[in-house]
Amino acid sequence: MEIIQGLTTVLTSPMLMGWILAGAITGMVVGAIPGLTTAAAIAMVLPLTFFMEPLAALSFLYVIGKSGRYGGSIAAILFNTPGTAAAAATQIDGHQLALQGKASKAMKVATISSVIGDFIGDIILILAIGFIASIALRLGPPELFSIYFAAFILIGTVVGKSIIRGLASAFVGILVSMVGIDPISAKERLTFGLMELTGGVSLVPLMIGLFVLGEVLSQAEQCTSGSKNQDMPPNTRDNHLLTWSEYRSCVPHVLRSSLIGAVIGMLPGLGSSIAAFIAYGVGKQRAKNSDQWGKGALEGVAAPEAANNAVSGPSMAPLLTLGIPGSTIGAMLIGVFLIHGITIGPTLFITSSELVYTLFACGLVGIVFYGLLGYFGAAKVGQLIQKIPAGLMYPLILLTAFIAAYLFRGSLFDVVVMIVFGVVGWLMRKFDFSPAAFVISFVLAGGAEETFRQSLRLSEHGMLIFFTRPLALAFLVIGLFGLAYRIRGFFRDRSAS
Amino acid sequence: MKYVLQKDYIPAAALVAMGAAGVWTSLHIELDSLEGWGARVFPIFASVALCALGVLEFLKTSFAFEVNDEKVFPSLRPWFIIGLTLAYIWMVARFGYHLSTALISPAIFATFGIRSPIFLFASAVLVPFFFHVLFFELLGIFPPIAKWFDPFVMVRGY
């Protein structure tokens, strides 16, 4: 089996193991810092990976994504500030446990649940991806365009608080991606006479601006320069240890939540935070001790953490088979694939099957690494981060973002792009738009336009081709159904309030 | 009766403006060799969608139950940082990376509340040094070329 071969490659390569360990540490630390997202960290280190071998670069970033999803729980439990959006579900019970002097116990539950969820997600990915790729090979331009359409609608309506602003974020992403030279007719579009824009807006500086500078500006608006000191009751020996009898009641929640996370991970645009909250909600409904949830139930930490990390592996499925990122991190990985000359899509499994399965193997090893680091070291990471003043951290992040944007192509214009989209990212956060929907749509728009125009060339009846091909029609209906469902939910919530 | 400008009208106006600008710019995209609108379709579609969403947002705000009159920009600090970043890139283009970073680092740290003169002076020396070693020496990146003069280049002799 290719995965066994991949594991052998990884375990016999000290360099790869080193990069996976670096990714596990980086992701955990970054995820644990409130206000610094894993996406921001990946955006900043992405230019550094240009100097690395493709597999080392991909494995480093992939493991940062996995480990970062887990790392968010550290800040959520210790500082009552989730390090990632998904960790907001962990925060509900996690911080209550910390206030009861059980921070270490809570973090151990989070670690074990994340590891189990991540493993289950990865196993589902490894078993299912060959099948998904074989189906994807049979899809033509009309079907692919319909999938893109459904992805845009789902991303725009589910991500973020407002349907209108979520969709608007997606359409702004589409519009920005149109800048440059049209690949079919070679006409300039939206370049405003600037030669630097004829190649389009570069993804890397855009992401650094949106996720790093945008976040720094948001934090600057709120922050003080002090450190995040909180008085916590000390951990007693009993509260430091986690026994099997305590964790046993979490197991059904972990297994259920892992499946929830895996299914949601396969759907583009939904992501970890939705999986975590759905898992928390379902878990609370089915729990025998539901009255304890919200007051410091260990199960209330286990469920969202398992779901959160179970998203990681399956979110690679639409990315690798269709080129549709399932998450912001996936959108960034597309950039890495492109830079290293690897074409993603269904033919990836024909041309680079070994690379793909070795990447999955790197993910499995990465889970082991962050699991061990987290189980024995999460508390120490949290204490260290607590001591770093925001006034020291954010300026360094800002200065690093500058050089990271310049690093991409050695162009100061990219730094200008970074600043522009930094302001855009800040304003998007301020007015409840969705930077995630923006960047995913930005990445997808080129493929969507290409398949749309190819479909029209294939068709004898114009746009009717999307309605006469059953699979294409099915995906269009899924997208519209998703929109209708969300709108219905919005009006229902509004009338209830 | 005093009129309160709702915060939520701002994104509505921005969306309509962006959409209108997108439509106008898209209509100026050249037609392809067969006089087709191929290259215009997606930009126009996205722009029209933005206009429509902006109008919907405007209507939603107008009929909202609660007035959202919170201050849009409670702090000037982000604007100051944006100004510093623009000044930084202007300086890098003219004086090179090292001098510009030495000047801007203390300003950025001070903006985030660090006031110790010793720390600020140390940042002016250590930050450019650290980034120089990491990016220009270890990774071998070529630093930006200064249009006016670069003291670092003058010191190194090339």
Side-chain angles (χ1 to χ4, degrees):
Chain A
M1 261 179 94
E2 292 108 329
I3 189 63
I4 307 289
Q5 207 174 346
L7 276 168
T8 311
T9 306
V10 173
L11 295 172
T12 54
S13 170
M15 184 201 69
L16 260 182
M17 294 284 276
W19 282 116
I20 294 168
L21 179 62
I25 295 169
T26 306
M28 195 169 94
V29 170
V30 164
I33 298 174
L36 185 62
T37 61
T38 312
I42 293 177
M44 280 213 294
V45 301
L46 200 150
L48 295 176
T49 65
F50 301 160
F51 305 95
M52 295 161 64
E53 294 288 322
L55 183 57
L58 287 164
S59 60
F60 179 52
L61 297 176
Y62 183 44
V63 173
I64 289 178
K66 282 181 170 302
S67 180
R69 283 189 170 91
Y70 155 68
S73 64
I74 301 174
I77 291 167
L78 288 182
F79 312 135
N80 201 27
T81 310
T84 57
T90 308
Q91 179 189 0
I92 302 169
D93 279 273
H95 192 63
Q96 292 303 314
L97 285 161
L99 292 174
Q100 294 163 24
K102 297 177 185 174
S104 286
K105 201 187 288 277
M107 284 194 282
K108 285 187 163 105
V109 167
T111 307
I112 296 169
S113 307
S114 294
V115 167
I116 294 173
D118 219 335
F119 266 125
I120 290 175
D122 272 17
I123 288 165
I124 291 174
L125 170 72
I126 290 164
L127 293 174
I129 195 147
F131 172 69
I132 296 170
S134 66
I135 292 179
L137 271 169
R138 294 184 201 140
L139 299 176
E143 288 79 18
L144 288 173
F145 173 74
S146 300
I147 292 171
Y148 281 121
F149 175 83
F152 283 130
I153 299 294
L154 285 174
I155 288 159
T157 55
V158 177
V159 174
K161 298 174 199 171
S162 157
I163 301 170
I164 294 173
R165 295 187 193 189
L167 281 172
S169 305
F171 282 114
V172 173
I174 293 171
L175 193 60
V176 171
S177 86
M178 297 289 111
V179 173
I181 291 186
D182 174 43
I184 297 175
S185 65
K187 302 295 178 189
E188 276 191 28
R189 296 192 293 193
L190 307 174
T191 59
F192 305 102
L194 290 172
M195 200 185 71
E196 293 90 345
L197 286 179
T198 51
V201 175
S202 296
L203 178 62
V204 170
L206 179 148
M207 286 192 302
I208 295 173
L210 218 51
F211 294 111
V212 182
L213 180 56
E215 189 59 45
V216 169
L217 291 172
S218 297
Q219 293 297 325
E221 204 165 24
Q222 304 158 22
C223 96
T224 60
S225 60
S227 58
K228 299 165 279 297
N229 282 322
Q230 279 191 322
D231 290 327
M232 295 283 184
N235 273 296
T236 61
R237 190 171 186 277
D238 282 347
N239 289 337
H240 184 72
L241 296 172
L242 177 68
T243 62
W244 166 242
S245 59
E246 284 171 320
Y247 194 75
R248 189 165 49 197
S249 58
C250 299
V251 171
H253 293 281
V254 168
L255 294 174
R256 183 193 314 115
S257 303
S258 300
L259 290 173
I260 290 173
V263 169
I264 287 175
M266 292 232 193
L267 302 172
L270 296 184
S272 306
S273 47
I274 292 169
F277 277 98
I278 290 176
Y280 186 89
V282 171
K284 187 175 176 184
Q285 267 184 339
R286 292 173 165 267
K288 289 174 190 160
N289 61 338
S290 58
D291 56 322
Q292 289 300 310
W293 285 54
K295 298 174 189 163
L298 290 174
E299 298 87 349
V301 172
E305 277 301 304
N308 170 21
N309 275 80
V311 164
S312 169
S315 69
M316 295 291 280
L319 172 71
L320 296 173
T321 56
L322 298 168
I324 296 176
S327 61
T328 320
I329 293 168
M332 293 176 177
L333 287 177
I334 283 183
V336 183
F337 277 104
L338 291 173
I339 284 154
H340 288 282
I342 302 166
T343 309
I344 48 175
T347 55
L348 180 68
F349 288 83
I350 299 169
T351 58
S352 309
S353 165
E354 196 183 313
L355 174 82
V356 172
Y357 283 98
T358 310
L359 179 63
F360 294 161
C362 293
L364 293 172
V365 173
I367 296 168
V368 174
F369 280 156
Y370 83 65
L372 290 170
L373 286 168
Y375 193 85
F376 296 109
K380 304 244 178 332
V381 168
Q383 283 162 17
L384 185 67
I385 287 165
Q386 213 167 11
K387 293 188 169 84
I388 302 173
L392 177 63
M393 191 170 60
Y394 291 115
L396 285 174
I397 290 169
L398 178 60
L399 290 163
T400 309
F402 265 94
I403 195 135
Y406 172 77
L407 204 62
F408 176 54
R409 292 187 300 186
S411 164
L412 283 177
F413 185 78
D414 285 340
V415 183
V416 174
V417 168
M418 190 268 295
I419 295 170
V420 167
F421 284 98
V423 176
V424 168
W426 169 51
L427 294 173
M428 285 183 100
R429 283 172 182 78
K430 179 175 266 309
F431 291 105
D432 297 329
F433 285 79
S434 169
F438 173 88
V439 84
I440 294 174
S441 299
F442 176 85
V443 166
L444 292 181
E449 186 187 25
E450 188 183 336
T451 51
F452 177 76
R453 288 161 79 175
Q454 283 173 345
S455 302
L456 292 182
R457 280 169 195 258
L458 284 172
S459 169
E460 292 170 0
H461 305 287
M463 299 265 287
L464 282 179
I465 192 170
F466 300 111
F467 301 96
T468 54
R469 306 244 307 216
L471 258 183
L473 180 61
F475 279 108
L476 286 178
V477 168
I478 288 171
L480 292 171
F481 180 75
L483 176 63
Y485 184 78
R486 183 83 165 93
I487 292 172
R488 181 169 160 261
F490 166 75
F491 280 113
R492 195 174 51 211
D493 293 342
R494 204 170 164 191
S495 56
S497 65
Chain B
M1 190 168 92
K2 189 178 173 188
Y3 178 75
V4 175
L5 177 64
Q6 291 201 59
K7 176 184 170 185
D8 292 333
Y9 280 130
I10 298 174
L15 287 176
V16 171
M18 212 181 317
V23 169
W24 186 83
T25 318
S26 302
L27 288 171
H28 286 80
I29 295 170
E30 283 181 39
L31 299 173
D32 62 29
S33 54
L34 298 169
E35 301 291 309
W37 272 48
R40 294 183 181 182
V41 170
F42 255 55
I44 285 180
F45 172 69
S47 305
V48 168
L50 285 175
C51 282
L53 289 167
V55 168
L56 279 174
E57 183 69 38
F58 180 84
L59 291 172
K60 182 182 148 202
T61 306
S62 301
F63 291 106
F65 293 123
E66 293 168 11
V67 171
N68 182 4
D69 59 354
E70 65 175 282
K71 226 173 164 186
V72 179
F73 298 109
S75 167
L76 290 176
R77 191 185 289 177
W79 295 108
F80 190 67
I81 293 172
I82 293 165
L84 279 179
T85 58
L86 293 171
Y88 184 30
I89 194 168
W90 185 88
M91 285 196 287
V92 168
R94 281 153 187 80
F95 307 122
Y97 177 78
H98 300 81
L99 176 63
S100 311
T101 305
L103 291 172
I104 216 75
S105 298
I108 291 179
F109 280 109
T111 308
F112 277 89
I114 303 236
R115 298 277 186 264
S116 159
I118 297 170
F119 183 93
L120 294 177
F121 177 76
S123 72
V125 174
L126 292 174
V127 169
F129 173 76
F130 172 74
F131 283 121
H132 171 85
V133 168
L134 178 61
F135 292 103
F136 303 139
E137 297 295 335
L138 288 176
L139 289 177
I141 311 299
F142 201 82
I145 296 171
K147 281 183 193 161
W148 290 359
F149 69 93
D150 188 338
F152 177 74
V153 167
M154 287 158 72
V155 163
R156 276 187 96 150
Y158 60 87

